[in-house]
Amino acid sequence: MRIDSLSILRCPYCGGRLNLVDSLFHRVSDDEIHDGILGCHCCIFPVVDGIPVLHLQPPATAARDHVQAGRPELARRVMFGLEDGVLSEAFDAVAASPASTYRDIVEALGPTFEGGYFLYRFSDPTYVVAQAVVRATAAAVLGGTRRAIDLCGGSGHVTRSLLGLSSPPPVLADLYFAKVWLARRFTAPGCEPVCVDGNAPLPFARGAFGLAMCTDAFMFIWTKRQFVGEMARLIDGQQIPGAVLIGHAHNERVWSPSHGNPLTPEAYADLFETLEPRLFAEAGLFQDVIGGGPLDLSRHDGADALDRDPALTIIATRHPGVFAPHTLPPLAPALGEFRVNPLYAIDHGGDGAGGDHARLRLRFPSDDYEQEYGACRQYLPDEVMVARSALDALPAAGADGPLADLARRRIVLDLPKRYY
Ligand SMILES: [Zn+2]
């Protein structure tokens, strides 16, 4: 972690500032804390492999004991949930290799790690909406200088869409160490990862952020009123208004896979005490995005549209630039590299393929995936013939010529380097 990030961290329990405890084991360089112990007025927390773990759940306290005893490598194993000797040695070897991909590391974490669908995240319908809404809102409120936080952001896929929108890097907060560790290395390089418990007060200073956001996770938070109050606190007291954004919150009135503990639209609105929220039915936002834009956040969705949509986007802000139509950004040079969407299998021979063309076929990793994300068929074709010369140009730093059309159709994606 960057040492200057201590200025925005606060103990979740006493609210006190956190500082490195110099008298206990630590490894630091000029501007980074690699391992060590942070202390406040009431307790101490470990920094494990550069990630502050600011909660007191069992792995965190075990990791803290290991760091205090000068065993940072054992602290990391505990945080990865790998205490079995053979598994953890195999994992350490995969993690240590610079050639390992995101997929390799997810596989090395074993079947208990909830990672199966993350590989396909960059083209799923939920992501397509979240990315557009987050980028539009962040570009409006951050002004290039204010910081954003992605709460319960998992392995950082949506955090990635915040990169480059402000000079202080986005903070990625999640309960699971393995996810934020993967994000820092692959999905959102340069982000500041922090382990937090979303059901506790959030360990950050009042007004530290211009945007506090959470996508596809809010229905799994039990302490929803506290969480929204905390999001409002994180953007409170700044001269230019910030924004609270909750994306893909399931609707209690419509069943959906991984339903969680959702609320009705009016119950979500009631959670906001100090800011007036605006609720959007995601079907309308989805049509805006797959239609090529603009993304119209000036719309007022009525109760009928909200009631029948499986998922809602909620934005609360007094910033005048947010509730407006937003042009979708044009194709840009790759943040990572353009590669074939991992949902496509490449068939080099067979029926009609061969010669100077290859056939790409859409295939889902499971029936469950298809049930949950099948709406991607509205923009991803079942089959497409692609010139071999276009495939040979991949991985590519930019999507020019024939790649531009494939990238616009999400058949080719700007993926993190060493993703799969
Ligand atoms: Zn404290």
Side-chain angles (χ1 to χ4, degrees):
M1 64 172 289
R2 290 160 55 136
I3 291 173
D4 60 12
S5 294
L6 288 172
S7 66
I8 59 166
L9 297 185
R10 297 290 184 274
C11 170
Y13 310 110
C14 73
R17 284 176 177 272
L18 290 157
N19 285 299
L20 184 69
V21 182
D22 289 322
S23 57
L24 296 173
F25 174 85
H26 59 276
R27 291 192 300 194
V28 302
S29 57
D30 284 354
D31 52 359
E32 297 265 336
I33 301 171
H34 302 291
D35 301 281
I37 298 289
L38 302 178
C40 59
H41 305 303
C42 76
C43 47
I44 57 172
F45 302 93
V47 177
V48 181
D49 201 4
I51 299 174
V53 180
L54 302 181
H55 60 72
L56 298 175
Q57 296 209 356
T61 53
R64 184 195 61 205
D65 293 345
H66 281 309
V67 173
Q68 272 191 271
R71 300 187 298 256
E73 66 292 344
L74 295 187
R76 194 176 84 157
R77 285 185 180 180
V78 168
M79 290 312 299
F80 274 121
L82 295 165
E83 284 165 86
D84 167 78
V86 180
L87 260 185
S88 41
E89 275 165 34
F91 175 81
D92 286 348
V94 173
S97 166
S100 292
T101 64
Y102 177 90
R103 176 184 246 167
D104 293 335
I105 291 181
V106 166
E107 283 171 3
L109 282 165
T112 53
F113 179 66
E114 177 224 335
Y117 295 159
F118 293 161
L119 193 67
Y120 311 103
R121 183 91 172 104
F122 286 116
S123 67
D124 79 41
T126 309
Y127 182 81
V128 162
V129 172
Q131 179 194 36
V133 172
V134 165
R135 277 197 74 89
T137 307
V141 303
L142 295 182
T145 55
R146 296 202 293 175
R147 201 188 280 265
I149 182 164
D150 185 4
L151 293 155
C152 311
S155 60
H157 290 74
V158 181
T159 320
R160 184 175 180 82
S161 60
L162 293 165
L163 297 177
L165 289 178
S166 68
S167 49
V171 172
L172 167 60
D174 198 275
L175 181 62
Y176 296 101
F177 180 88
K179 294 183 184 177
V180 298
W181 186 94
L182 280 162
R184 180 184 60 187
R185 175 155 167 178
F186 296 101
T187 354
C191 77
E192 274 284 275
V194 185
C195 282
V196 312
D197 177 359
N199 287 307
L202 298 173
F204 304 98
R206 177 178 294 274
F209 299 93
L211 172 65
M213 52 159 281
C214 169
T215 61
D216 204 8
F218 187 59
M219 51 276 175
F220 304 112
I221 297 290
W222 186 243
T223 53
K224 292 183 178 63
R225 186 183 78 163
Q226 172 180 266
F227 192 85
V228 168
E230 285 291 274
M231 291 178 97
R233 183 179 66 80
L234 298 191
I235 62 153
D236 186 38
Q238 296 209 356
Q239 210 167 15
I240 301 167
V244 167
L245 191 168
I246 297 174
H248 201 73
H250 288 161
N251 180 357
E252 189 190 326
R253 294 204 171 96
V254 185
W255 181 86
S256 54
S258 23
H259 204 45
N261 295 293
L263 301 179
T264 60
E266 58 273 24
Y268 280 126
D270 279 350
L271 295 168
F272 290 78
E273 294 180 312
T274 56
L275 288 165
E276 179 85 23
R278 193 181 294 195
L279 274 65
F280 300 93
E282 284 194 354
L285 304 176
F286 176 71
Q287 291 303 329
D288 283 359
V289 177
I290 65 169
L295 174 74
D296 187 6
L297 296 182
S298 74
R299 61 171 22 101
H300 289 270
D301 286 335
D304 282 357
L306 297 175
D307 278 348
R308 65 171 178 263
D309 204 301
L312 308 164
T313 286
I314 306 162
I315 303 176
T317 183
R318 296 190 183 94
H319 194 291
V322 175
F323 297 128
H326 298 267
T327 308
L328 297 178
L331 267 183
L335 196 58
E337 55 193 13
F338 284 99
R339 293 183 66 188
V340 172
N341 182 335
L343 282 174
Y344 282 93
I346 304 174
D347 176 5
H348 290 283
D351 210 13
D356 52 2
H357 279 73
R359 185 192 304 270
L360 269 54
R361 290 178 206 269
L362 184 65
R363 49 112 180 80
F364 295 111
S366 68
D367 292 344
D368 284 349
Y369 182 94
E370 186 168 7
Q371 189 187 359
E372 188 159 2
Y373 302 111
C376 69
R377 287 185 187 280
Q378 292 185 44
Y379 47 89
L380 295 178
D382 280 342
E383 284 194 7
V384 60
M385 299 297 288
V386 177
R388 207 173 290 276
S389 58
L391 293 178
D392 289 346
L394 302 175
D400 310 318
L403 286 181
D405 180 55
L406 294 170
R408 268 191 288 272
R409 298 165 74 196
R410 298 187 171 82
I411 297 161
V412 161
L413 296 172
D414 174 5
L415 295 174
K417 289 194 170 152
R418 298 187 311 282
Y419 192 53
Y420 72 92

